[in-house]
Amino acid sequence: MKRNGRARQVLSRFGDVVWFRSPVERHPYYGYLQVAFVGWRYAEPHEELKSVFDSAVREAPEQVEWTFRSVRNWMIVPTRLIQEAGPDGQNFNEAMEVIRERDQEFCAAAAEDLERILRALSEAPVIEGL
């Protein structure tokens, strides 16, 4: 199963995912690795879940610093991408493009780390009663 499918499946363990975004693993035309991240929204987000995601983002990665954000949409994203997107995130897509085109090593490391994060989330206990 491709990363997008696995990610959505793992996130669905914790609630009904009504919106989801994650780039394909490789650029469809040029073949280079994309910057790995996931963004999603639950139909009924529960504050109690945030600690599960914080823990996975803090403990699972080995190569890249990651950030978990939860506002309207929840995101697990490399901290570098957030920093390069600017304070309000308005340059998110442009930052993704620059990193993808100039730093394939970073993209590979982020992809490996995201797999570790997804594995940690797939093994995390589901909070009963949510």
Side-chain angles (χ1 to χ4, degrees):
M1 179 183 297
K2 294 187 183 222
R3 182 176 61 221
N4 283 352
R6 280 192 316 280
R8 191 174 187 120
Q9 185 177 49
V10 167
L11 297 171
S12 293
R13 294 181 65 229
F14 302 97
D16 182 22
V17 176
V18 295
W19 176 84
F20 178 82
R21 178 181 180 197
S22 184
V24 294
E25 294 172 50
R26 291 192 169 271
H27 190 279
Y29 301 111
Y30 303 112
Y32 26 69
L33 291 169
Q34 306 274 60
V35 180
F37 72 89
V38 290
W40 72 98
R41 185 179 320 125
Y42 287 119
E44 295 181 32
H46 295 279
E47 290 292 316
E48 299 87 344
L49 291 174
K50 292 180 180 180
S51 64
V52 174
F53 294 103
D54 275 329
S55 177
V57 165
R58 197 174 48 254
E59 297 171 13
E62 295 179 357
Q63 302 179 62
V64 173
E65 182 182 340
W66 289 80
T67 299
F68 167 65
R69 285 197 169 172
S70 56
V71 187
R72 180 173 184 230
N73 299 326
W74 293 14
M75 289 186 78
I76 295 174
V77 60
T79 303
R80 175 181 172 187
L81 181 53
I82 290 174
Q83 291 168 339
E84 293 187 19
D88 59 1
Q90 73 182 28
N91 298 320
F92 190 85
N93 291 333
E94 293 85 355
M96 270 193 336
E97 186 177 316
V98 168
I99 294 170
R100 177 188 70 218
E101 291 178 3
R102 296 184 183 165
D103 197 346
Q104 283 290 285
E105 287 181 24
F106 178 85
C107 293
E112 289 175 21
D113 273 356
L114 184 55
E115 291 297 333
R116 288 181 185 92
I117 293 168
L118 292 174
R119 194 171 321 114
L121 290 171
S122 72
E123 296 168 358
V126 176
I127 300 170
E128 297 298 321
L130 295 185

